[in-house]
Amino acid sequence: MSTRLSQLFVRTLREDPVDAEVASHKLLVRAGYIRRQAPGIFAWLPLGLKVRRKIEGIIREELEAFGAQEVHFPALLPREPYELTGRWTEYGDALFRLKDRKDADYLLAPTHEEVFTLLVKDLYSSYKDLPLSIYQIQDKYRDEARPRAGLLRGREFSMKDSYSFDYTDEGLDASYQAHRDAYERIFQRLGLEYAIVKADAGAMGGSKSEEFLHPTPIGEDTFVRSAGGYAANVEAFRTLPPAPLPIDGLPTAIVHDSPNTPTIQTLVDLSNAQFPREDRPWEAGDTLKNVVLALTHLDGSRELVIVGIPGDRDVDMKRAEVAFAPAEVEAATEADFAKHPGLVKGYIGPGFAEAPVLGETSATGIRYFLDPRVVDGTSWVTGANQHEKHVYGLVAGRDFVADGVVEIADVRAGDEAPDGSGPVELARGMEIGHVFQLGRKYAEALGLKVLDENGKLVTVTMGSYGIGVTRIMAVIAETNNDGKGLIWPKNVAPFDVHVIAAGREEVVFATAEALVDSLEESGFDVLFDDRPKVSPGVKFGDAELLGVPLIVIVGRDAAEGRVELWNRATGERSSVGLDEVGAALLAQ
Amino acid sequence: MSTRLSQLFVRTLREDPVDAEVASHKLLVRAGYIRRQAPGIFAWLPLGLKVRRKIEGIIREELEAFGAQEVHFPALLPREPYELTGRWTEYGDALFRLKDRKDADYLLAPTHEEVFTLLVKDLYSSYKDLPLSIYQIQDKYRDEARPRAGLLRGREFSMKDSYSFDYTDEGLDASYQAHRDAYERIFQRLGLEYAIVKADAGAMGGSKSEEFLHPTPIGEDTFVRSAGGYAANVEAFRTLPPAPLPIDGLPTAIVHDSPNTPTIQTLVDLSNAQFPREDRPWEAGDTLKNVVLALTHLDGSRELVIVGIPGDRDVDMKRAEVAFAPAEVEAATEADFAKHPGLVKGYIGPGFAEAPVLGETSATGIRYFLDPRVVDGTSWVTGANQHEKHVYGLVAGRDFVADGVVEIADVRAGDEAPDGSGPVELARGMEIGHVFQLGRKYAEALGLKVLDENGKLVTVTMGSYGIGVTRIMAVIAETNNDGKGLIWPKNVAPFDVHVIAAGREEVVFATAEALVDSLEESGFDVLFDDRPKVSPGVKFGDAELLGVPLIVIVGRDAAEGRVELWNRATGERSSVGLDEVGAALLAQ
């Protein structure tokens, strides 16, 4: 049974929707695949639903191939399980919360770790039941602050989320690898370029985590990769620390007046003018910049912290968020400074060994952290905690110590990969998959234990694995179009072939009808543009927009038993005899 | 690829869940198909999901067969469209409402009339685009006051909802009939007994409405049917009014003292003792009972109304709710009476023609309604609006009139069907489908118009059609079990056949493995109980509980090349040669 365009519930639009910025959003709306209902919330028209189902089918096949089993959870869940793991609070404003008529708290689930854990706890009790991998494909909810780019970041979105359950670390490694391998096959089948990058587990907890990033200039994530094979998102990038230097024999630190040097550049200029080095000019990298950040902890308390980073680096707030998670991070405000008159803005430093200003045993009590590059024995120009004064030759490990090492400095092309595989380059990517080793965090919080071989209760170790189904569809659309319209890869296209009756003559329509019937009989899923009063030009334009990759045009040569085959992916057009169309389509 | 019970994510339970009252709820939980997450909210395990998908598949096939097209809407929707039709308020506490981070109002949709209407408005503009039938299968939400009976009345449930769009009344009739016919085929394929009953459109508005009720003692709905083919739920039942009687010559009404007669029974007793009739004793049906109800209107205002019904009838509050919808109805409280000292409790009556107490032009201003049986010329014993006084021979149409006719009296077996098809009987039923002619209510509220043949804008007329997918699954389970477990009909069973390796001998397992492989090759979907250390008795018990209708037991006769075939639906067991198993299964 072919689908006739005259009957299909679709309308194409000539104009881009006003709120659309990226190609996939524009084209999926213009081609009648989706329609906006609210910010980041869409309805799915028949064409959109067909493509989405094909993507889901590929995901299901690859997961079931290694034994994962499908289940289905509600979107509406009670607060309690999320309270036990702390995520009811941790999710902040991104969680849709609501109350039922009895005033009980509920949420629209953004992910389902808690309830999968509880379900396994309900059903299983022995190591013999494990390993287990279960998954669902389900509509999820996150109240994004800035839903954007159509399906790329929605507030309602379809996700495949899997969870693995093992009772040994080796078991978790194997389950993790099985998912990782399946993800590679899924993205390969979908024709999606991807990089697997080390990721920070962030709010999800857990130990090991990798993201599948699709490299694209519209990606929201920045990641780094080295020629030697290292890849990580910038949040997870770890600086290769230099070796410590000997401290013995380094000159004593000395304080100089440094009028009008509140910035690194002014400080470098003044230093070169007034206190020139013998070996080379002062550079920004010789200075130690002390950045004051305000943390808001989960209990609502606010804490100032200071981080010393080399003066040639800027703060990367995303890295800072990871460094101080689950606290929220922002730059300190004037009000914060007002509460700490000891902090002399523009001239802050860690102080001297005999009078430390920052750090554990310091006068201010403010915690002080250092960038990993500030190893013992390195010598710095930094603030002297007095207006328009800096100290020169302040040596880490001799004159100052920190409360810890954190990575909040930006990552740059040319930085060395931590595994020694050489300098990294930076690229933009869109997250299309994520694999986590959660470990025992959720099982511990929710009491999921099984009896092991010796009859001893052991806590289960878990993995969590996600693929954004609707986002993937947008990424495919983003990658597969030519500006005039979509060009779907064959295995997710809404139809195998789009047959156009192009002309007014009866022979054109009769030929097209017969061709459509014979293609359907041969097993092709056909979209038939049978609209009687629509011009060939409009039909071609719609075909380009809709994006079925193979188009057959039944036109003026119909009477001679010939039609035109148009491969949208290659752009090739060729004349084909009517009885060769099926074979010609298969050969594309 | 067969499914092995040793690997399947399922656990059977020996005990009924404590909160389960009905068989389907008990069995679906005990057999590991579903698990409770919150009141009326369930997770779906692999077996449950498989059955659900098969039911969905049958629904999809029958809808697509007449040209309905599938779309998919979000569950989370903005308030605005529901505000325009009034349903944001009308739904009351049954609607899950929430706010996003920007304090905008959202809801979890209980049905989707509004957004389907707006979607068609967005895409279509001409009569040539119509008729159109679009549908979705989607998780819906209603905050039921008393979620009960497992999947039979949940707060999250899967529903197939369709909507039809036409520009003529005849078109709507045809679309309605197409859905109605498809529903009949769906329920027939699912093996579900059903009655199609007239229904009241209630809060959905619209003109014509029928319910598909599955007759069952645990049904929440009462419906009536006559031998002549009339069927309606009690809310929609319309009383066949008697013909008016001549008023001329009827004796004048007379007031009698009636001490201590606050109830119908005491009044009838006193009447027979003190004022006996000549022709026959007084009966409850000779009295007019005046029931005081309190309406709460949508704007929150409270209004007292009084309804006069024959004294032998009780009030059916469900019928009263329909009669006064969208206002809420309850019995008047003491506080209500206190505000109306003119109402003498137990002795209320409409008053006399010269001094009407109730009705439009009355002293109290309270609206007065009558049961349809109280036609002009009927004569009644009723309250005289004084303590311990009743009036005898009060004639409708002569001594009192009403502000309208309403049906709040109960329906009884033996009442005449309104179409003259004879007396009705009462039965309990569970709603499994519903077809509505919405008419132009939603299209008008939301401005859905198309250009007709003459280029004139006409308002579209709509239908709305629902099937509760998860409820249907429960009803099938409710109907198909034998107390020991489920017995699924073949076309929705999770597997075609359940093969049991029953015994410890190696030959049993080897034979079973080979049989499973060969059945899978022949196209059967096989569940294989391969658990090595589980006794045959436990395996048989699990097989009965799980409910695959055909079971093959590979046991002691395996060495002789024979197995046992067990048909759970018929209870028949027979010995079958190994090479005949496939044919024997097909013959069941």
Side-chain angles (χ1 to χ4, degrees), chain B residues 2-19:
Chain B
S2 66
T3 300
R4 283 156 187 270
L5 204 45
S6 64
Q7 309 293 324
L8 183 63
F9 185 53
V10 66
R11 277 301 173 269
T12 55
L13 304 176
R14 278 165 201 280
E15 304 292 329
D16 288 332
V18 289
D19 61 334

Side-chain angles (χ1 to χ4, degrees), chain B residues 232-473:
Chain B
N233 65 26
V234 290
E235 289 89 339
F237 179 82
R238 290 291 162 263
T239 301
L240 191 64
L245 300 172
I247 291 177
D248 280 2
L250 289 175
T252 309
I254 177 166
V255 175
H256 286 302
D257 284 339
S258 56
N260 232 334
T261 54
T263 66
I264 297 297
Q265 191 54 51
T266 50
L267 175 61
V268 169
D269 291 346
L270 175 134
S271 300
N272 281 319
Q274 299 198 9
F275 321 106
R277 283 176 71 120
E278 288 177 5
D279 52 347
R280 57 168 176 82
W282 292 105
E283 293 169 0
D286 297 321
T287 68
L288 185 65
K289 176 158 68 176
N290 293 289
V291 181
V292 188
L293 299 173
L295 309 185
T296 306
H297 294 287
L298 286 181
D299 62 5
S301 65
R302 190 172 177 94
E303 180 195 5
L304 286 200
V305 297
I306 299 183
V307 185
I309 67 174
D312 60 342
R313 299 266 166 181
D314 291 321
V315 174
D316 179 331
M317 283 307 283
K318 281 192 166 179
R319 281 166 61 75
E321 275 164 27
V322 168
F324 292 107
E328 283 179 25
V329 186
E330 61 180 330
T333 62
E334 288 300 330
D336 290 320
F337 279 102
K339 284 184 193 154
H340 291 274
L343 299 179
V344 186
K345 219 175 155 184
Y347 303 90
I348 296 169
F352 304 78
E354 59 269 32
V357 171
L358 300 173
E360 252 179 84
T361 57
S362 72
T364 59
I366 294 175
R367 287 198 292 163
Y368 184 58
F369 298 93
L370 284 173
D371 183 87
R373 292 169 192 83
V374 189
V375 293
D376 282 1
T378 51
S379 173
W380 304 89
V381 179
T382 191
N385 295 308
Q386 298 172 58
H387 188 61
E388 306 200 327
K389 282 188 197 299
H390 278 89
V391 56
Y392 287 69
L394 198 72
V395 173
R398 182 190 72 184
D399 301 321
F400 64 100
V401 290
D403 297 302
V405 172
V406 297
E407 302 237 12
I408 69 162
D410 55 7
V411 183
R412 297 187 181 166
D415 286 351
E416 291 293 323
D419 63 355
S421 62
V424 298
E425 54 165 24
L426 268 73
R428 304 287 292 172
M430 176 69 68
E431 183 185 335
I432 52 175
H434 207 152
V435 286
F436 282 113
Q437 289 201 0
L438 293 176
R440 296 180 172 82
K441 173 182 164 171
Y442 287 87
E444 250 155 33
L446 299 163
L448 169 57
K449 295 170 195 276
V450 294
L451 291 171
D452 71 6
E453 294 93 332
N454 308 314
K456 228 185 72 182
L457 272 178
V458 293
T459 300
V460 167
T461 180
M462 292 168 54
S464 160
Y465 316 92
I467 285 183
V469 176
T470 43
R471 172 179 283 191
I472 277 182
M473 179 163 151

Side-chain angles (χ1 to χ4, degrees), chain A residues 81-321:
Chain A
Y82 290 80
E83 184 72 43
L84 289 172
T85 59
R87 294 210 298 171
W88 172 264
T89 310
E90 277 169 32
Y91 255 108
D93 285 345
L95 194 65
F96 282 108
R97 296 176 183 85
L98 66 159
K99 283 176 183 292
D100 74 359
R101 63 159 74 210
K102 291 180 175 161
D103 216 35
D105 282 317
Y106 283 80
L107 55 86
L108 298 183
T111 63
H112 282 74
E113 278 75 4
E114 286 82 353
V115 285
F116 270 79
T117 307
L118 289 173
L119 183 62
V120 174
K121 181 182 175 185
D122 173 13
L123 265 69
Y124 280 178
S125 57
S126 162
Y127 74 96
K128 291 181 202 162
D129 300 326
L130 305 179
L132 172 73
S133 283
I134 46 183
Y135 76 97
Q136 64 178 349
I137 295 180
Q138 194 254 3
D139 287 339
K140 299 209 155 10
Y141 297 85
R142 280 186 208 162
D143 197 358
E144 299 284 350
R146 283 169 294 279
R148 60 174 278 267
L151 300 180
L152 287 173
R153 183 167 287 276
R155 298 199 295 168
E156 177 179 85
F157 53 96
S158 169
M159 202 169 131
K160 187 288 299 170
D161 48 330
S162 315
Y163 305 88
S164 69
F165 300 86
D166 287 275
Y167 71 106
T168 64
D169 293 346
E170 297 71 37
L172 171 57
D173 282 340
S175 295
Y176 181 90
Q177 193 62 37
H179 273 93
R180 195 178 187 274
D181 292 346
Y183 277 30
E184 293 212 60
R185 288 190 300 271
I186 289 165
F187 295 128
Q188 284 159 15
R189 285 179 65 181
L190 293 172
L192 277 179
E193 193 192 341
Y194 62 90
I196 304 180
V197 309
K198 285 183 183 49
D200 187 89
M204 306 292 297
S207 49
K208 187 177 173 186
S209 166
E210 289 170 294
E211 282 174 3
F212 287 74
L213 293 184
H214 173 72
T216 164
I218 62 159
E220 297 180 319
D221 293 309
T222 306
F223 68 102
V224 299
R225 46 186 170 187
S226 74
Y230 176 81
N233 66 26
V234 290
E235 289 88 339
F237 179 82
R238 291 292 162 265
T239 302
L240 191 64
L245 300 173
I247 290 177
D248 280 2
L250 290 174
T252 309
I254 179 168
V255 175
H256 286 301
D257 285 337
S258 56
N260 231 337
T261 55
T263 65
I264 296 296
Q265 191 54 51
T266 51
L267 175 60
V268 169
D269 291 348
L270 174 131
S271 301
N272 280 321
Q274 299 199 9
F275 320 107
R277 284 175 72 120
E278 288 179 4
D279 51 348
R280 57 168 175 80
W282 293 105
E283 294 168 0
D286 297 321
T287 69
L288 184 65
K289 175 158 71 177
N290 292 288
V291 181
V292 188
L293 299 174
L295 310 185
T296 306
H297 294 287
L298 285 181
D299 63 5
S301 65
R302 190 170 177 95
E303 179 195 5
L304 285 201
V305 296
I306 300 183
V307 185
I309 65 175
D312 60 343
R313 299 267 165 180
D314 291 322
V315 175
D316 179 331
M317 284 307 282
K318 280 192 168 181
R319 280 166 63 76
E321 276 164 27

Side-chain angles (χ1 to χ4, degrees), chain A residues 27 36 38 53 96 108 134 152 157 169 180 203 243 259 368 392 430 461 489 511 519 562 566 580:
Chain A
L27 291 172
R36 181 184 183 278
R53 291 259 166 78
F96 282 108
L108 298 183
I134 46 183
L152 287 173
F157 53 96
D169 293 346
R180 195 178 187 274
Y368 183 58
Y392 286 70
M430 176 68 68
T461 181
T511 305
L519 288 174
R562 296 198 75 76
W566 181 8
E580 300 153 15

